[in-house]
Every structure is written in C-alpha cells, then in structure tokens.
Amino acid sequence: MIMKKILINIGCVLALSASMAGCSSQLDDYYVDPDKTTTPTIEKLFSAILDNNRARPNYSEMRTIQFPMCGAYCQTIAIQYTDDRYIQQADPVKSLWNDYYRPSNQGTDINYNTGNGVMAQYRTMQRLYSNLPLDERPNFQIFMMAGKALLLDQTAQMIDYFGDIPYTEAGSLDLTNTISNAKFQDQKELYDSVLIGLKDIADWFTGTTPNAIATASFSAQDYLMKGSIDKWRRYVNSIRLRYLMRISMVDEARARTEVQEILANPILYPLVDGDGIGDNYNPGNTDILLQQFTNYTNSLKDAFTEIRAQVAPDFMLNTVMKPVNDPRIPFMFDKNVRKDGTPNKDYAAMKATEQRQADSMYNYASFDSTTYFLNTKLPGIYISAPEVNFLKAEAFERWGLTGGTAQQSYELAIRQAIAFVYHLYNINPNKYESLTQPSTATVSNFLTNATMAYTGDSNTKLGKIWTQKWLFFGPLQSRQAWSEWRRTGFPQITVIPATRTGYELPPNRFLYPASEVAYNSSYEQVRAKDTRDAKIFWMKE
C-alpha cells in the first residue's frame, strides 16, 4: 500500500520515465524507433514527447475530454440536455492530469493510447543532459530547447484547465533522487515563466546554428517538423503570441508591448501565418500538424456516436453559419438521412433544448463523415495559420499596432479557415461525397455579407473576430475554443442552466483529480481554490 501511494505521488511517479522512455507507437522506418532500445537517450525521449495522443484527435482524448466537456461547455459540440451536463467527469480528468506528469502511452493499441508524460520525459532528458561531458552538450542542446518548447506549450494548457499546478518540483526523484510532494505554483507566475521561457527559446533558435551532428540527429528524430529550424521558430513564436493574447485582458500592458515586438519584426519573429496566402494556402506545408502514424486505423466515429455528439451544434450551424450561407457548411456537416431512408432537405441543427432521442437525431444535420467521422488521417493541430491571423487581427484592432491591419488579418484568417476545413476533407482517401474547394470569388462574395464584413464599431469587430475563431476551432480544437470563450465571452451563446443544484452552469476550470487530493500533501495550499467556479487568472472579472 505504501508503494502504491508513492507511485501515485506526483513528486516521484515521474521516475517511471527512465524505463518507459520509448515511443509506444510504431514510427515510420525513416525514423529511429525508440521502442527498439531499452536505454533511454535524449534524442529518443524527444521523439517520445512528440508521440502525444493528447495533441492528436485520438479516440480517448476526444471522447472523454474535448467532446463531452470542453466542446459541450462552449458549444462546439451539441451538448446533451440533461441535468448533469455540466458535471466534470472525474476519471477522464484524472487521466488527463496523469498523462501530463507520467508516461501512459505504453500500450500496444495505438488507437487508444493517450498522453506521453511530457513532464516525466523532459525531466529524464534534463538528467541525461546534465551528465553529458561539456564537449558533447552542443550535440543535444537542440533537443533540449525543442523539448522544452513542447513542455511549456502543454504546461500553459494545463494551467488553462486547472489554474495552479505543480511544475518546478514535479519529477524531483529523477533529477535529485529526492522523494517530495511537488508544490503547486501560482498560475499567473507560472504562466509568466512559460512566456519568458518561450521568448528565450525563440531567441536561441534565431541565434544558434546547430553543428552537423546535432542537425543530422535532430532531423532523424523530429517527425513533427522534420528538423526544420524555420518551423520550430515559427511554432515557438506563434504559441507565445497565443499565450500573450490569452493574458491580454488582465495584463494588457505587458501583452501589448510583447505582441508589438513580435508583429513588428517578422524577420526576427516569424509566425505560422501562411505567409499571407489565403485561399490557396496549404496547411500541410505551413502549419504545425502532428500526423497520424501510417498504421493508425481508427476514426472518431465512436467518439462522436457513443455520446451522441455527432449532432450539428445549434448555435454554430443555425445562428452563425446558415444565415450567411457559409461555404464551409457542406464540408463540416451532412444533411443526414431520416429513418425512412429519405435525406433531409436542408442543413438544420437540432435545437439545443431538444432531447436527443435516437429517432429525432436523424431529422437533423450531423458532423460530416468525410471530414470528421470516418477520417483516419485527421492530424493533431499544435498551431495553425488561421488561429495566428485571428490573433493578429485582435491585436491590431485593440491596439492599432504596426505590422498589418485588423481587416487584412481577419479576412486572411477566414480565407485560410475555409481552406483548412477543405484540407481536412481532402486528406481523407475515402471520400463519401465529391466536393470542390470554394473558389476565391465565392469566398470574396462571402466576406461582403453584412454579418461577415469587417464593419461596425470596435466591439462589433472584435466580436466577429472571436466568433469566427471559435468556429474555426470547431470540434477538433475544443480545448482552445473553451479557453477563448472563457477569456472573451464570444461567441455569445445561450447557456441553458441545468437543474442540478451547484452545477447550473459550465465550470470555469477542472477540479483536481482525487488521487492528487489524497496523496499530495501540498494540495492543502490550493484546497480553497479548488472549486468549479474559481476563475483562471486570465479570465476577466
């Protein structure tokens, strides 16, 4: 029993990384497979960090976290109209927490593995790096910097979920041979550390040319960006932009200053922005996408249908898209077929207040089969050009910065968002309908619609930016959609209160898992904050 408690304790469970360092999924033959070694090395641990099915649209992540919670709370997914619809699901959140702190993707079924223990893997990388002779460290520093960028990205998202989390002391056993209860760190201070760390990494990638050994090894192990220094620079700068805008409602002066530095210096701080290309931009070439392995055979059909999440969201389709004849509708939704076998005449979403009986669901549109349901090629989306350009549009609109205009960035982001959903449709080799990409003329006409056009006062324009970004995130990026909805209040969805006392509205954060409450004595320092109504620090009062 004592050993069981020790393993659950966050301060020491990370020691598992040394013996579980390899990627569980079979990598393409081109890459070195960490599974084929029993000795952890820095470069193989780095590949293990990349193998993250919390980043990919994996069944477990979507079925237990993104669809029934994040997506349902902000209505990128049609929520079940039940009394307990806003109650946190305890076991999935516990798994989410564990998947950040310790490796758990060691099973043989790559359809259901989840996280990769990014914290544990990186702590082991730190230990191995510290033990290297000084003259060998330049061969591995690029792995340390890239790995830390991935860790900081996931850390920011954990703060977005929970608020205060253990960080600096987490994994102490592997680093110091000391068993301890990792202390929770103040979320605002830790977010600040994330932003400082990303800036340091960005500057390192700008000013450093790795030697030949490091370049060859990094190219072989980096199956996310194929060893491209340019892409790593763009990724780091772009997620830094994301998290600066995330704090911009509560620390506006700092966000404005640092965002201006980024946007005014595209040579020094290049971004994942599609290089200004709209309708013809190719997400597969420019965006940071984690592809599925070639032997991955699952789809999201079960993740959607097991909880009846396939129903088209009411506000998304009926209120945002149909009134403007959005050209994405055929790519995002199926009209659906009634029980008698006749197709519905139009795209129509079930009203949010209607119970989801099996029969009635056939009378309404559902998410598209080719693009979402049965697409085994759906990538994980680390950062994309549409998101970056929506962020730029917000910054230009709010602060009048140099480096572009709000209207240009907004319209470019929408063009790219349309191209992006076509890309998701097009990468599925098994198409269930034949569709062509909306033409430039079609999109241009769409952007002149009074609802879509970049007109109105500043608040109206910001509302359009935030609503369109939420729409772009859709079901696959419900994590980001929920965070942005909590930050901005857009889109202005109708939240129907539940009748369960204490759970009438969606939560502001996830509660800490029961295992952390039970076994980490440092929990006492955050017990008073551990309520569903406590706000993440970047949320406006």
Side-chain angles (χ1 to χ4, degrees):
M1 186 64 180
I2 293 175
M3 180 57 68
K4 179 179 179 181
K5 290 182 179 180
I6 291 175
L7 288 176
I8 294 176
N9 185 295
I10 192 173
C12 61
V13 72
L14 306 186
L16 292 172
S17 61
S19 61
M20 304 173 88
C23 267
S24 61
S25 302
Q26 180 181 357
L27 305 183
D28 294 336
D29 290 340
Y30 179 78
Y31 305 109
V32 177
D33 187 347
D35 266 347
K36 296 177 181 178
T37 180
T38 58
T39 304
T41 62
I42 290 173
E43 64 272 28
K44 292 173 176 59
L45 285 161
F46 172 75
S47 291
I49 287 178
L50 293 177
D51 186 22
N52 186 353
N53 281 330
R54 291 290 179 185
R56 292 190 186 94
N58 173 271
Y59 165 85
S60 297
E61 164 70 10
M62 308 308 288
R63 167 65 176 78
T64 65
I65 296 293
Q66 295 216 41
F67 289 172
M69 288 190 279
C70 301
Y73 297 157
C74 69
Q75 296 184 25
T76 54
I77 290 291
I79 190 169
Q80 293 276 15
Y81 193 58
T82 59
D83 291 343
D84 61 355
R85 60 186 177 273
Y86 300 132
I87 295 178
Q88 172 181 311
Q89 299 178 31
D91 285 345
V93 172
K94 175 184 174 181
S95 295
L96 174 72
W97 179 273
N98 290 342
D99 286 346
Y100 170 76
Y101 287 106
R102 68 185 190 216
S104 63
N105 59 353
Q106 306 303 315
T108 58
D109 191 339
I110 64 173
N111 292 316
Y112 296 95
N113 288 335
T114 51
N116 62 356
V118 57
M119 173 66 78
Q121 309 281 17
Y122 193 73
R123 289 291 185 251
T124 306
M125 288 174 66
Q126 287 180 303
R127 174 175 59 80
L128 296 175
Y129 185 79
S130 67
N131 292 334
L132 287 174
L134 292 179
D135 61 343
E136 290 186 22
R137 291 186 181 183
N139 300 337
F140 297 95
Q141 190 174 11
I142 190 170
F143 291 99
M144 301 305 298
M145 302 304 284
K148 186 175 182 180
L150 296 167
L151 172 63
L152 293 177
D153 189 1
Q154 294 299 310
T155 299
Q157 294 184 50
M158 288 291 287
I159 298 169
D160 293 345
Y161 275 141
F162 294 98
D164 297 0
I165 62 169
Y167 179 78
T168 301
E169 296 181 2
S172 61
L173 179 59
D174 198 24
L175 285 175
T176 65
N177 291 319
T178 301
I179 297 175
S180 64
N181 285 285
K183 291 183 176 62
F184 287 77
Q185 289 179 246
D186 177 79
Q187 55 189 288
K188 188 176 186 303
E189 293 178 0
L190 186 51
Y191 228 81
D192 182 64
S193 296
V194 167
L195 290 168
I196 292 172
L198 291 174
K199 172 67 161 56
D200 290 343
I201 295 168
D203 290 342
W204 183 88
F205 271 110
T206 298
T208 303
T209 301
N211 64 35
I213 295 174
T215 298
S217 180
F218 190 62
S219 296
Q221 295 293 143
D222 175 21
Y223 59 88
L224 177 63
M225 304 187 213
K226 309 299 188 294
S228 169
I229 301 299
D230 177 67
K231 275 200 167 186
W232 277 99
R233 292 180 64 200
R234 290 173 184 269
Y235 163 65
V236 173
N237 293 325
S238 297
I239 60 172
R240 181 175 168 231
L241 175 64
R242 172 199 283 167
Y243 297 126
L244 282 168
M245 295 306 296
R246 185 96 8 115
I247 68 169
S248 66
M249 299 296 190
V250 296
D251 195 353
E252 186 169 14
R254 186 240 181 115
R256 176 177 179 166
T257 299
E258 295 193 29
V259 169
Q260 173 64 99
E261 181 184 30
I262 293 171
L263 299 185
N265 296 281
I267 303 291
L268 190 61
Y269 299 110
L271 295 167
V272 181
D273 57 7
D275 295 323
I277 300 173
D279 305 302
N280 297 317
Y281 114 98
N282 186 338
N285 291 338
T286 66
D287 295 353
I288 310 304
L289 306 178
L290 182 61
Q291 304 297 337
Q292 300 287 2
F293 291 115
T294 55
N295 59 341
Y296 182 80
T297 60
N298 202 14
S299 73
L300 293 181
K301 179 181 179 181
D302 290 343
F304 276 106
T305 59
E306 287 175 1
I307 54 175
R308 299 183 181 180
Q310 70 267 38
V311 178
D314 180 7
F315 187 87
M316 180 181 289
L317 181 54
N318 291 341
T319 302
V320 176
M321 301 184 77
K322 282 189 64 178
V324 296
N325 194 27
D326 195 306
R328 286 166 286 191
I329 291 176
F331 298 93
M332 293 180 64
F333 302 104
D334 287 326
K335 292 179 181 178
N336 216 345
V337 178
R338 294 173 177 264
K339 292 285 283 186
D340 64 5
T342 60
N344 292 310
K345 295 181 180 180
D346 193 14
Y347 295 96
M350 180 187 293
K351 294 295 182 182
T353 54
E354 185 172 343
Q355 295 293 332
R356 279 153 179 70
Q357 297 94 356
D359 288 350
S360 65
M361 289 171 59
Y362 288 94
N363 300 330
Y364 299 96
S366 64
F367 279 109
D368 185 74
S369 299
T370 299
T371 304
Y372 300 112
F373 258 42
L374 302 174
N375 192 349
T376 62
K377 302 300 182 182
L378 287 174
I381 306 167
Y382 274 95
I383 194 74
S384 66
E387 179 184 354
V388 169
N389 282 304
F390 281 126
L391 291 168
K392 291 167 71 171
E394 177 186 349
F396 290 137
E397 179 59 41
R398 288 174 60 188
W399 302 319
L401 307 179
T402 59
T405 70
Q407 181 172 349
Q408 289 173 342
S409 296
Y410 168 78
E411 293 179 351
L412 177 61
I414 291 175
R415 289 185 182 277
Q416 291 174 337
I418 294 170
F420 191 94
V421 77
Y422 175 75
H423 172 76
L424 295 181
Y425 159 85
N426 197 45
I427 59 176
N428 188 342
N430 302 307
K431 295 178 176 59
Y432 300 91
E433 66 279 287
S434 179
L435 300 173
T436 57
Q437 183 173 0
S439 66
T440 297
T442 296
V443 178
S444 296
N445 184 62
F446 171 60
L447 288 170
T448 65
N449 183 287
T451 301
M452 295 299 302
Y454 201 72
T455 57
D457 61 22
S458 186
N459 288 333
T460 299
K461 292 174 179 176
L462 286 171
K464 290 181 179 182
I465 293 168
W466 292 330
T467 297
Q468 286 299 311
K469 182 164 63 171
W470 167 87
L471 173 58
F472 165 69
F473 285 144
L476 297 184
Q477 297 184 82
S478 291
R479 282 189 181 212
Q480 297 301 327
W482 185 39
S483 290
E484 286 296 276
W485 178 67
R486 285 178 290 160
R487 176 178 77 93
T488 68
F490 280 83
Q492 295 179 315
I493 57 179
T494 300
V495 177
I496 303 170
T499 58
R500 182 72 67 90
T501 302
Y503 300 92
E504 293 86 357
L505 299 174
N508 289 326
R509 58 177 291 274
F510 285 164
L511 300 175
Y512 297 118
S515 57
E516 197 68 15
V517 174
Y519 297 115
N520 189 348
S521 61
S522 297
Y523 170 76
E524 290 303 318
Q525 70 192 61
V526 295
R527 182 182 293 275
K529 302 178 182 180
D530 192 19
T531 67
R532 67 192 306 277
D533 298 325
K535 289 186 175 181
I536 304 300
F537 81 96
W538 42 249
M539 296 173 65
K540 292 188 298 184
E541 293 298 327

